[in-house]
Amino acid sequence: MSQEEYQFDEASVQAIMHWAETAQLPKEVVLSESEHIYDTSLYVRANINDIKQHYPDAFYNPAIIRLYRLKEFIESNN
């Protein structure tokens, strides 16, 4: 899924948050050369808190995108 394909409607955002809250995630993830997540559970919680507090403010769409990218990484490495 490319960034242009990410969905920001309420149902899609609820679905990606539910995935992030329930998925079996490793402690650490390296998404890219500049994105090394040392505590995946903290990363997920911080992004979900931003989304819950500010959705649907598009300024906070990067928090939603970070969850989509984490999901893509996890699914492509299983």
Side-chain angles (χ1 to χ4, degrees):
M1 181 181 295
S2 72
Q3 194 162 336
E4 296 79 43
E5 297 174 39
Y6 295 151
Q7 300 295 309
F8 299 100
D9 61 278
E10 190 169 353
S12 297
V13 171
Q14 290 296 326
I16 192 64
M17 287 194 306
H18 177 74
W19 172 85
E21 291 173 324
T22 59
Q24 292 292 326
L25 301 172
K27 173 90 172 114
E28 285 187 49
V29 171
V30 179
L31 289 181
S32 71
E33 188 176 306
S34 61
E35 296 170 293
H36 188 151
I37 303 165
Y38 290 95
D39 187 337
T40 309
S41 64
L42 184 62
Y43 178 84
V44 165
R45 179 63 32 219
N47 285 299
I48 287 175
N49 287 342
D50 275 350
I51 295 165
K52 286 182 176 179
Q53 191 167 9
H54 301 286
Y55 185 81
D57 184 342
F59 184 78
Y60 290 89
N61 281 359
I64 299 166
I65 292 168
R66 285 190 287 272
L67 295 182
Y68 277 122
R69 291 187 62 239
L70 178 63
K71 181 178 183 185
E72 290 168 1
F73 177 85
I74 296 298
E75 290 179 348
S76 69
N77 288 289
N78 279 342

